[in-house]
Amino acid sequence: MARESVRFSVLGPIRVWRAGRELALGRPQQRVLLGLLLARAGRPVGVSRIVDVLWGEDPPDSAVNAVRRHIGILRRTLEPGLPVRAPGHWLLRDPAGYRLAVDADSLDLIRFRRLRERAREAADRSPGQAVERLTEALALWKGPAGSCVSAEIRARASLDALDRERLAAVTELADAALRTGVTAPVLDELRKAAPAGPLDEPLLARLVLALAAAGQRAEALETYGAARARLAEELGLAPGRELTAAHAAVLREPAAATRPGPGTRPGPGTRPGPGTRPGPGTRPGPGTGPGAAPARAAEAGHHPAVPLPGAGYIEPRPAQLPQDLPAFSGRRDELARLSALLPDAGGPLDEAVITAIGGVAGVGKTTLAVRWAHQVADRFPDGQLYVDLRGSAPAGTALDPAEAVRGFLCALGVPRQRVPCGTAAQAALYRSLLAGRRFLVLLDDALDARQVRPLLPGAPGCLAIVTSRGPLTGLVAAQGARPLNLGRLDAREGRELLAARLGADRVAAEPGAVDELVELYSGLPLALSRVAARLAAHPGFRLSALAAEARDTRDRPDAVASRS
């Protein structure tokens, strides 16, 4: 049977059309299930994740069978002529769960992300094109993502995370419009977005500047005043650097100009066009000079009347990864599996990717995570964050996730006095700062999923790597983390590790002793690294003598592991 044309929408109410006619989606749980699958944009969703979204913390004993029934009904809704037990063309069974075979032609979310990525590519060379593509992308939104279901279920299904992508796109639209100097056409989009992010200072700063650039100075000042009052009332904070700078720029411009007409002078924040120079008695205003942002607006023939947000301020770009191990060896298969989680050819991530690396103590989880993080760091140009969560430390000494979040906020440039109270508010601000950007976050030695959740990015484009001695099944079930259980080194990899640290000649001279050491220490990289460190410190010490000592004293890997 040929695949019939079907179109899905999740950017607003969850809706489906087949051959141009809208379909009835039946019971609320079937609509929620469809919304969850659509939010994953073609990625598989595990059964345990579906159960968690549909029933929360108290699922019935029959939950798995109910999921299968809902899947069957939804599959027949999309393809009513489908024979019983036939796999179908749209709703597919995957080894990792269920997924919808959607693309940019059939799902508005994928089209939105494609247009946004193209706008990013055009932003510097052609801000006018960026404005067009972002305007087209934002026109796909018909309300909050999955707006037909309750706020609690939207959060469980990660539909609310899609709303943060929209706010990030609106911020990018404002930047592109400010570069062209023509902001009036995008004001409606900015005004609509502001209530959805009433404490989103970067978005509000751009709205203030866009209003001023369009000549609506009074509304710009009112917008700033309302934002300042909300920040004081809800968070007890004064406006931050970006919003304050936007306000100051408006105050410097009593009558913000748009495009300079014949015989007019460029206002502050602009520079004269080619072949011109300022008139007598004039001086350049703020934002002029080499490297000023208005230079990027020349292709449209316009100049911003006020400086772009953040002018003169370099946003922090944290690079917190620990040093990579120079003598790293082995783990080729594991590195290949991890790299397969990312798109080919450096393409953008259409979701936040989370991978959980587990294994016994001393097996090399952190070493592998750090090596892979360094290999892919260039794909996350906005920065790399790292924290040791101390999950394997003595009971009661694991790092409080609130402390970890505050550390990340500080690294992202948030002054300590402006960090909101409460872990939930701090985590929300942290996710907002990561939204629309590409960050790599390495969470090392996690105790459990509860400790990790406040530290996970919520929007596409970011990668989170988590290491833990525990299985982190809750993270796999609820957040869709990809697990990788790290095994011990085999004989070949153990020999490679010792050769990398001691030299190939010394290892080749005593192959039997090398194999025995790998076996005695059960292929644990930490134990073998300590053996190599001892041997490296005593160049004349024979490997066979150390192997004999290990046999005699029964210095086995369990003892090493218990001290790691």
Side-chain angles (χ1 to χ4, degrees), residues 83-105:
V84 177
R85 299 188 183 281
H89 298 93
W90 289 101
L91 183 46
L92 309 178
R93 180 72 167 134
D94 188 273
Y98 296 96
R99 67 180 178 89
L100 283 167
V102 289
D103 55 21
D105 293 327

Side-chain angles (χ1 to χ4, degrees), residues 62-78:
S62 60
V64 173
N65 288 333
V67 168
R68 291 174 181 151
R69 285 196 301 273
H70 289 320
I71 289 289
I73 294 170
L74 188 53
R75 185 177 279 138
R76 287 190 294 276
T77 300
L78 298 177

Side-chain angles (χ1 to χ4, degrees), residues 25-61:
L25 297 178
R27 299 172 59 184
Q29 283 192 326
Q30 286 158 208
R31 189 180 295 271
V32 171
L33 172 57
L34 178 61
L36 174 61
L37 293 168
L38 292 175
R40 293 287 288 172
R43 303 270 186 173
V45 183
V47 173
S48 59
R49 170 76 169 131
I50 296 173
V51 169
D52 178 66
V53 169
L54 295 184
W55 289 282
E57 297 180 357
D58 190 25
D61 294 338

